[in-house]
């Protein structure tokens, strides 16, 4: 499961699921990276580089990468 709010960019994903989305409006000569980090420790959980496609950059996150995502006990997902 992957849901992305197109207006805010907020993403919801189920741990262990692969997902992808496309970023547009960035010049072809730029490299695009997608990083997920722990806001408390500032530690990067994972980072992936996009793949150039016609009209944008595709970000693909594998199931093994999203499996690193957790929800702390007592917090709502």
């Amino acid at each position: 499961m992957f849901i992305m709010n197109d207006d805010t960019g907020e993403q919801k994903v189920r741990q262990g699921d692969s997902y992808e989305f496309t970023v547009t409006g960035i010049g072809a000569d730029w490299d695009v990276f997608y990083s997920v980090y722990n806001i408390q420790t500032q530690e990067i959980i994972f980072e992936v580089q996009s793949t150039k496609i016609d009209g944008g950059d595709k970000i693909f996150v594998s199931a093994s990468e999203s499996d690193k995502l957790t929800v702390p006990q007592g917090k709502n997902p």
Side-chain angles (χ1 to χ4, degrees):
M1 177 208 68
F2 174 71
I3 300 169
M4 181 169 167
N5 182 311
D6 290 333
D7 294 326
T8 65
E10 178 183 45
Q11 300 173 342
K12 293 184 181 185
V13 62
R14 181 167 291 143
Q15 180 184 15
D17 284 358
S18 61
Y19 62 98
E20 67 182 41
F21 59 96
T22 302
V23 179
T24 59
I26 299 174
D29 56 334
W30 286 75
D31 292 326
V32 177
F33 291 85
Y34 173 72
S35 298
V36 175
Y37 74 101
N38 181 317
I39 196 167
Q40 294 174 336
T41 66
Q42 301 294 302
E43 177 185 10
I44 294 176
I45 298 169
F46 66 82
E47 181 175 77
V48 295
Q49 186 172 1
S50 70
T51 303
K52 300 290 183 191
I53 60 170
D54 187 34
D57 289 86
K58 182 171 72 171
I59 302 288
F60 174 79
V61 178
S62 67
S64 63
E65 293 292 358
S66 81
D67 196 43
K68 298 174 185 175
L69 302 172
T70 60
V71 176
Q73 188 171 358
K75 295 272 187 170
N76 286 333

